[in-house]
Amino acid sequence: MTERQEQAAPDALLTRVGQIVMLHHGGDREEARERLLGLWAELGEDGDPLHRCTLAHYLADTQDDPTDELAWDLRALSAADELTDGREADDPDDVGREGAGAVRGFYPSLHLNLAADYIKLDRPDAARTHLRRARDACTVLADDGYGNGVRAAIGRLELRLDTEGGAAGEGNWGPPRQRP
């Protein structure tokens, strides 16, 4: 009975991350960054890859320096790769299949955000590489608001690269962050 209750209970860490993200969206970027960093310290570098992916993905949004944003987005991608490496989402004997499947749906956003980071750092070739990966990964996204938003954001960033050659600067090219 206890095991079934634990399985039905929402993931406490991801719930805490969601609460902090609401704080960030409410305008308190610095407080959100500090709280997310606290969760990162609590989780540790060897914590669950799904948790590290999620935390790093949102921590990237709270950074003031584009280099720091890139570093967090790369951590998110690395954790996602750990989770999906060698795991099949439809393998019922794989304990991590739910997390691996969720992260597969996260790849378009991960790559899109990396492309946006590279644009900010005036590295258009790296941005194009990640845009290609984002576009290729979109096959797992549903035809819904989130999936359509990601595909539209990819299109906007591709257009920006084509018309401006990848000039650095601020812009709204990325999708809303999604929790895996």
Side-chain angles (χ1 to χ4, degrees):
M1 177 72 166
T2 303
E3 182 180 325
R4 285 179 36 196
Q5 287 175 336
E6 288 174 6
Q7 289 174 348
D11 187 313
L13 187 94
L14 294 181
T15 298
R16 290 167 65 195
V17 170
Q19 292 167 341
I20 296 169
V21 168
M22 286 191 290
L23 178 69
H24 178 232
H25 289 169
D28 199 342
R29 181 182 183 122
E30 188 172 326
E31 180 67 21
R33 178 176 44 238
E34 292 306 314
R35 289 185 187 192
L36 288 170
L37 285 169
L39 285 179
W40 184 264
E42 190 179 307
L43 181 62
E45 292 284 332
D46 296 322
D48 177 82
L50 177 62
H51 292 156
R52 285 186 290 117
C53 178
T54 304
L55 270 170
H57 192 57
Y58 287 114
L59 266 161
D61 276 351
T62 67
Q63 302 306 305
D64 297 322
D65 183 305
T67 303
D68 294 336
E69 186 176 356
L70 173 64
W72 283 109
D73 278 331
L74 287 170
R75 283 184 188 102
L77 180 63
S78 177
D81 288 345
E82 276 182 53
L83 190 59
T84 58
D85 187 34
R87 294 184 181 172
E88 292 299 322
D90 57 358
D91 180 356
D93 296 325
D94 186 352
V95 175
R97 75 187 189 289
E98 289 177 18
V103 169
R104 280 188 184 88
F106 212 28
Y107 274 107
S109 178
L110 291 171
H111 285 293
L112 178 58
N113 285 299
L114 282 163
D117 295 343
Y118 284 121
I119 288 280
K120 292 176 190 173
L121 294 168
D122 199 24
R123 296 179 56 192
D125 291 338
R128 284 184 182 89
T129 296
H130 282 282
L131 274 175
R132 250 187 326 277
R133 291 177 182 163
R135 175 80 61 202
D136 291 346
C138 278
T139 60
V140 300
L141 296 180
D143 188 18
D144 60 10
Y146 180 76
N148 294 334
V150 170
R151 284 185 282 275
I154 291 168
R156 286 191 304 272
L157 193 49
E158 287 171 335
L159 181 61
R160 179 184 171 109
L161 279 170
D162 289 343
T163 59
E164 299 176 19
E170 294 300 317
N172 182 22
W173 329 289
R177 298 282 175 151
Q178 174 192 28
R179 182 170 30 172

